[in-house]
Amino acid sequence: MLSNNNYIAPKGIIAQFEAKDDDVSAADDELEAIKQKKMAELQKAAAERQAMSAITQPIHLTDSNFTSETAKYPLMLIDFWAPWCGPCRMVAPIIDQLAKEYAGKVIFGKVNVDENPVISNTFGIASIPTMMMFKGGKVIDVIIGAMPKGQIEMKLKQHLSGGSTTIYS
């Protein structure tokens, strides 16, 4: 009977095994890089959610900060108002209350149309209160007039659940 204890593999076979070891090592390195990238993305998303949760009052928006603020948040409801407007004063406490209740999900903003004519004209605000919903810096819905909390909330829930994505220009 022959003994295989002295068997020496041909150089080609050894090279194949070494190449496969290199492939496995490269795949492990690639998987580790993907894992680290995904972990960084998850940590960033968690930090953004935490930062959004801290915003429990409407943000004061102006002609100068409007574009940067609306682009910063995934979903934002903006109330266009004026201090002399009775219906605006009726909606204001509702917006304040919703800002607290939806902290971490929706950011709320307020634009005084008298003090910020550029933004008001850009969006063609002809009557107030007008509320605009922004997603990724683009208008996706408009509510004109003083609405009860339930109707505003219904619109919020619709957009939070991924409902209507109508974009207004």
Side-chain angles (χ1 to χ4, degrees), residues 4 11 14 20 36 55 70 74 77 80 85 95 134 136 138-139 149 151 159 168:
N4 286 337
K11 288 184 181 179
I14 293 172
K20 286 184 181 179
Q36 288 177 1
I55 302 172
T70 55
L77 184 134
F80 291 85
C85 167
I95 298 297
F134 286 76
K138 297 194 184 300
V139 178
K149 180 182 177 189
Q151 283 186 293
H159 293 293
Y168 296 84

PDB file of all heavy atoms in Angstrom, residues 4 11 14 20 36 55 70 74 77 80 85 95 134 136 138-139 149 151 159 168:
ATOM      1  N   ASN A   4       0.785   8.268   1.599  1.00  0.00           N
ATOM      2  CA  ASN A   4       0.695   9.633   1.062  1.00  0.00           C
ATOM      3  C   ASN A   4       1.417  10.637   1.936  1.00  0.00           C
ATOM      4  O   ASN A   4       1.299  11.830   1.750  1.00  0.00           O
ATOM      5  CB  ASN A   4      -0.768  10.050   0.915  1.00  0.00           C
ATOM      6  CG  ASN A   4      -1.437   9.355  -0.250  1.00  0.00           C
ATOM      7  OD1 ASN A   4      -0.749   8.915  -1.171  1.00  0.00           O
ATOM      8  ND2 ASN A   4      -2.744   9.246  -0.197  1.00  0.00           N
ATOM      9  N   LYS A  11       3.054  22.861  -7.820  1.00  0.00           N
ATOM     10  CA  LYS A  11       3.076  24.301  -7.522  1.00  0.00           C
ATOM     11  C   LYS A  11       1.801  25.001  -7.961  1.00  0.00           C
ATOM     12  O   LYS A  11       1.339  25.929  -7.314  1.00  0.00           O
ATOM     13  CB  LYS A  11       4.288  24.955  -8.184  1.00  0.00           C
ATOM     14  CG  LYS A  11       5.579  24.588  -7.525  1.00  0.00           C
ATOM     15  CD  LYS A  11       6.723  25.315  -8.142  1.00  0.00           C
ATOM     16  CE  LYS A  11       8.018  24.902  -7.448  1.00  0.00           C
ATOM     17  NZ  LYS A  11       9.169  25.553  -8.003  1.00  0.00           N
ATOM     18  N   ILE A  14      -0.894  24.694  -5.209  1.00  0.00           N
ATOM     19  CA  ILE A  14      -0.567  25.545  -4.048  1.00  0.00           C
ATOM     20  C   ILE A  14      -0.891  27.000  -4.364  1.00  0.00           C
ATOM     21  O   ILE A  14      -1.479  27.711  -3.552  1.00  0.00           O
ATOM     22  CB  ILE A  14       0.907  25.375  -3.643  1.00  0.00           C
ATOM     23  CG1 ILE A  14       1.124  23.951  -3.108  1.00  0.00           C
ATOM     24  CG2 ILE A  14       1.308  26.415  -2.609  1.00  0.00           C
ATOM     25  CD1 ILE A  14       2.565  23.597  -2.850  1.00  0.00           C
ATOM     26  N   LYS A  20      -6.957  31.784  -3.438  1.00  0.00           N
ATOM     27  CA  LYS A  20      -8.278  31.752  -2.796  1.00  0.00           C
ATOM     28  C   LYS A  20      -8.214  32.368  -1.408  1.00  0.00           C
ATOM     29  O   LYS A  20      -9.128  33.060  -0.980  1.00  0.00           O
ATOM     30  CB  LYS A  20      -8.809  30.331  -2.747  1.00  0.00           C
ATOM     31  CG  LYS A  20      -9.283  29.848  -4.098  1.00  0.00           C
ATOM     32  CD  LYS A  20      -9.893  28.473  -4.031  1.00  0.00           C
ATOM     33  CE  LYS A  20     -10.309  28.056  -5.440  1.00  0.00           C
ATOM     34  NZ  LYS A  20     -10.894  26.742  -5.493  1.00  0.00           N
ATOM     35  N   GLN A  36     -18.617  49.115   8.431  1.00  0.00           N
ATOM     36  CA  GLN A  36     -18.254  50.384   9.073  1.00  0.00           C
ATOM     37  C   GLN A  36     -18.997  51.557   8.443  1.00  0.00           C
ATOM     38  O   GLN A  36     -19.454  52.456   9.155  1.00  0.00           O
ATOM     39  CB  GLN A  36     -16.739  50.597   8.995  1.00  0.00           C
ATOM     40  CG  GLN A  36     -15.967  49.675   9.919  1.00  0.00           C
ATOM     41  CD  GLN A  36     -14.461  49.839   9.802  1.00  0.00           C
ATOM     42  OE1 GLN A  36     -13.967  50.649   9.036  1.00  0.00           O
ATOM     43  NE2 GLN A  36     -13.729  49.045  10.581  1.00  0.00           N
ATOM     44  N   ILE A  55     -36.247  69.866  18.846  1.00  0.00           N
ATOM     45  CA  ILE A  55     -36.943  71.046  18.312  1.00  0.00           C
ATOM     46  C   ILE A  55     -38.432  70.885  18.602  1.00  0.00           C
ATOM     47  O   ILE A  55     -39.142  70.160  17.910  1.00  0.00           O
ATOM     48  CB  ILE A  55     -36.673  71.218  16.805  1.00  0.00           C
ATOM     49  CG1 ILE A  55     -35.168  71.350  16.556  1.00  0.00           C
ATOM     50  CG2 ILE A  55     -37.425  72.432  16.263  1.00  0.00           C
ATOM     51  CD1 ILE A  55     -34.776  71.334  15.097  1.00  0.00           C
ATOM     52  N   THR A  70     -35.277  74.848   5.198  1.00  0.00           N
ATOM     53  CA  THR A  70     -36.222  73.893   4.610  1.00  0.00           C
ATOM     54  C   THR A  70     -35.491  72.698   4.000  1.00  0.00           C
ATOM     55  O   THR A  70     -36.028  71.594   3.964  1.00  0.00           O
ATOM     56  CB  THR A  70     -37.125  74.541   3.544  1.00  0.00           C
ATOM     57  OG1 THR A  70     -36.321  75.176   2.553  1.00  0.00           O
ATOM     58  CG2 THR A  70     -38.076  75.530   4.169  1.00  0.00           C
ATOM     59  N   PRO A  74     -36.182  66.615   6.811  1.00  0.00           N
ATOM     60  CA  PRO A  74     -36.898  65.767   5.862  1.00  0.00           C
ATOM     61  C   PRO A  74     -38.359  66.188   5.646  1.00  0.00           C
ATOM     62  O   PRO A  74     -38.862  66.106   4.539  1.00  0.00           O
ATOM     63  CB  PRO A  74     -36.834  64.376   6.475  1.00  0.00           C
ATOM     64  CG  PRO A  74     -36.160  64.485   7.786  1.00  0.00           C
ATOM     65  CD  PRO A  74     -35.697  65.883   7.975  1.00  0.00           C
ATOM     66  N   LEU A  77     -43.447  71.700   8.135  1.00  0.00           N
ATOM     67  CA  LEU A  77     -44.670  72.453   7.895  1.00  0.00           C
ATOM     68  C   LEU A  77     -44.388  73.906   8.248  1.00  0.00           C
ATOM     69  O   LEU A  77     -43.941  74.204   9.358  1.00  0.00           O
ATOM     70  CB  LEU A  77     -45.826  71.929   8.742  1.00  0.00           C
ATOM     71  CG  LEU A  77     -47.142  72.637   8.437  1.00  0.00           C
ATOM     72  CD1 LEU A  77     -48.265  71.622   8.285  1.00  0.00           C
ATOM     73  CD2 LEU A  77     -47.492  73.658   9.489  1.00  0.00           C
ATOM     74  N   PHE A  80     -47.246  80.562   7.129  1.00  0.00           N
ATOM     75  CA  PHE A  80     -47.076  81.950   6.672  1.00  0.00           C
ATOM     76  C   PHE A  80     -48.172  82.755   7.362  1.00  0.00           C
ATOM     77  O   PHE A  80     -49.361  82.457   7.210  1.00  0.00           O
ATOM     78  CB  PHE A  80     -47.215  82.029   5.143  1.00  0.00           C
ATOM     79  CG  PHE A  80     -46.072  81.382   4.410  1.00  0.00           C
ATOM     80  CD1 PHE A  80     -46.064  80.024   4.141  1.00  0.00           C
ATOM     81  CD2 PHE A  80     -44.994  82.147   3.975  1.00  0.00           C
ATOM     82  CE1 PHE A  80     -45.009  79.433   3.468  1.00  0.00           C
ATOM     83  CE2 PHE A  80     -43.931  81.561   3.294  1.00  0.00           C
ATOM     84  CZ  PHE A  80     -43.941  80.197   3.041  1.00  0.00           C
ATOM     85  N   CYS A  85     -53.274  89.475  11.627  1.00  0.00           N
ATOM     86  CA  CYS A  85     -54.228  88.524  11.041  1.00  0.00           C
ATOM     87  C   CYS A  85     -54.914  87.711  12.135  1.00  0.00           C
ATOM     88  O   CYS A  85     -54.276  86.912  12.817  1.00  0.00           O
ATOM     89  CB  CYS A  85     -53.472  87.626  10.063  1.00  0.00           C
ATOM     90  SG  CYS A  85     -54.370  86.169   9.507  1.00  0.00           S
ATOM     91  N   ILE A  95     -50.269  75.331  15.904  1.00  0.00           N
ATOM     92  CA  ILE A  95     -48.932  75.053  15.355  1.00  0.00           C
ATOM     93  C   ILE A  95     -47.945  74.796  16.504  1.00  0.00           C
ATOM     94  O   ILE A  95     -47.158  73.848  16.451  1.00  0.00           O
ATOM     95  CB  ILE A  95     -48.446  76.213  14.449  1.00  0.00           C
ATOM     96  CG1 ILE A  95     -49.377  76.383  13.243  1.00  0.00           C
ATOM     97  CG2 ILE A  95     -47.002  76.010  14.020  1.00  0.00           C
ATOM     98  CD1 ILE A  95     -49.436  75.210  12.298  1.00  0.00           C
ATOM     99  N   PHE A 134     -43.145  70.959   3.329  1.00  0.00           N
ATOM    100  CA  PHE A 134     -41.929  70.780   2.541  1.00  0.00           C
ATOM    101  C   PHE A 134     -41.325  69.420   2.837  1.00  0.00           C
ATOM    102  O   PHE A 134     -41.260  68.999   3.983  1.00  0.00           O
ATOM    103  CB  PHE A 134     -40.891  71.859   2.884  1.00  0.00           C
ATOM    104  CG  PHE A 134     -41.214  73.211   2.322  1.00  0.00           C
ATOM    105  CD1 PHE A 134     -42.188  74.008   2.890  1.00  0.00           C
ATOM    106  CD2 PHE A 134     -40.532  73.689   1.208  1.00  0.00           C
ATOM    107  CE1 PHE A 134     -42.483  75.256   2.370  1.00  0.00           C
ATOM    108  CE2 PHE A 134     -40.817  74.939   0.678  1.00  0.00           C
ATOM    109  CZ  PHE A 134     -41.797  75.725   1.261  1.00  0.00           C
ATOM    110  N   GLY A 136     -37.743  67.554   1.783  1.00  0.00           N
ATOM    111  CA  GLY A 136     -36.481  67.697   1.079  1.00  0.00           C
ATOM    112  C   GLY A 136     -36.331  69.044   0.386  1.00  0.00           C
ATOM    113  O   GLY A 136     -35.728  69.138  -0.670  1.00  0.00           O
ATOM    114  N   LYS A 138     -38.673  70.849  -0.996  1.00  0.00           N
ATOM    115  CA  LYS A 138     -39.662  71.100  -2.049  1.00  0.00           C
ATOM    116  C   LYS A 138     -41.069  71.076  -1.461  1.00  0.00           C
ATOM    117  O   LYS A 138     -41.377  70.270  -0.583  1.00  0.00           O
ATOM    118  CB  LYS A 138     -39.560  70.038  -3.140  1.00  0.00           C
ATOM    119  CG  LYS A 138     -38.217  70.048  -3.854  1.00  0.00           C
ATOM    120  CD  LYS A 138     -38.297  69.231  -5.124  1.00  0.00           C
ATOM    121  CE  LYS A 138     -36.985  69.113  -5.836  1.00  0.00           C
ATOM    122  NZ  LYS A 138     -36.375  70.309  -6.263  1.00  0.00           N
ATOM    123  N   VAL A 139     -41.930  71.949  -1.987  1.00  0.00           N
ATOM    124  CA  VAL A 139     -43.315  72.016  -1.523  1.00  0.00           C
ATOM    125  C   VAL A 139     -44.057  70.768  -1.988  1.00  0.00           C
ATOM    126  O   VAL A 139     -44.040  70.442  -3.172  1.00  0.00           O
ATOM    127  CB  VAL A 139     -44.023  73.277  -2.069  1.00  0.00           C
ATOM    128  CG1 VAL A 139     -45.475  73.315  -1.622  1.00  0.00           C
ATOM    129  CG2 VAL A 139     -43.302  74.536  -1.644  1.00  0.00           C
ATOM    130  N   LYS A 149     -57.170  71.773  14.278  1.00  0.00           N
ATOM    131  CA  LYS A 149     -56.014  70.908  14.537  1.00  0.00           C
ATOM    132  C   LYS A 149     -56.152  69.557  13.832  1.00  0.00           C
ATOM    133  O   LYS A 149     -55.203  69.055  13.232  1.00  0.00           O
ATOM    134  CB  LYS A 149     -55.834  70.710  16.042  1.00  0.00           C
ATOM    135  CG  LYS A 149     -54.664  69.823  16.400  1.00  0.00           C
ATOM    136  CD  LYS A 149     -54.557  69.608  17.897  1.00  0.00           C
ATOM    137  CE  LYS A 149     -53.419  68.644  18.200  1.00  0.00           C
ATOM    138  NZ  LYS A 149     -53.406  68.252  19.597  1.00  0.00           N
ATOM    139  N   GLN A 151     -57.631  68.658  11.068  1.00  0.00           N
ATOM    140  CA  GLN A 151     -57.379  68.687   9.621  1.00  0.00           C
ATOM    141  C   GLN A 151     -55.882  68.850   9.316  1.00  0.00           C
ATOM    142  O   GLN A 151     -55.372  68.231   8.391  1.00  0.00           O
ATOM    143  CB  GLN A 151     -58.183  69.800   8.953  1.00  0.00           C
ATOM    144  CG  GLN A 151     -59.645  69.425   8.776  1.00  0.00           C
ATOM    145  CD  GLN A 151     -60.387  70.468   7.978  1.00  0.00           C
ATOM    146  OE1 GLN A 151     -60.557  71.595   8.442  1.00  0.00           O
ATOM    147  NE2 GLN A 151     -60.832  70.086   6.799  1.00  0.00           N
ATOM    148  N   HIS A 159     -48.572  62.602   5.090  1.00  0.00           N
ATOM    149  CA  HIS A 159     -47.206  62.720   4.568  1.00  0.00           C
ATOM    150  C   HIS A 159     -46.204  61.904   5.377  1.00  0.00           C
ATOM    151  O   HIS A 159     -45.203  61.436   4.837  1.00  0.00           O
ATOM    152  CB  HIS A 159     -46.797  64.185   4.471  1.00  0.00           C
ATOM    153  CG  HIS A 159     -47.587  64.918   3.426  1.00  0.00           C
ATOM    154  ND1 HIS A 159     -47.478  64.661   2.087  1.00  0.00           N
ATOM    155  CD2 HIS A 159     -48.537  65.876   3.548  1.00  0.00           C
ATOM    156  CE1 HIS A 159     -48.317  65.433   1.409  1.00  0.00           C
ATOM    157  NE2 HIS A 159     -48.960  66.164   2.278  1.00  0.00           N
ATOM    158  N   TYR A 168     -45.905  70.747  -5.652  1.00  0.00           N
ATOM    159  CA  TYR A 168     -46.394  71.996  -6.204  1.00  0.00           C
ATOM    160  C   TYR A 168     -45.190  72.826  -6.651  1.00  0.00           C
ATOM    161  O   TYR A 168     -44.167  72.827  -6.000  1.00  0.00           O
ATOM    162  CB  TYR A 168     -47.183  72.791  -5.147  1.00  0.00           C
ATOM    163  CG  TYR A 168     -48.425  72.055  -4.709  1.00  0.00           C
ATOM    164  CD1 TYR A 168     -48.374  71.079  -3.723  1.00  0.00           C
ATOM    165  CD2 TYR A 168     -49.648  72.323  -5.297  1.00  0.00           C
ATOM    166  CE1 TYR A 168     -49.508  70.401  -3.311  1.00  0.00           C
ATOM    167  CE2 TYR A 168     -50.788  71.650  -4.892  1.00  0.00           C
ATOM    168  CZ  TYR A 168     -50.715  70.693  -3.920  1.00  0.00           C
ATOM    169  OH  TYR A 168     -51.824  70.024  -3.516  1.00  0.00           O
TER     170      TYR A 168
END
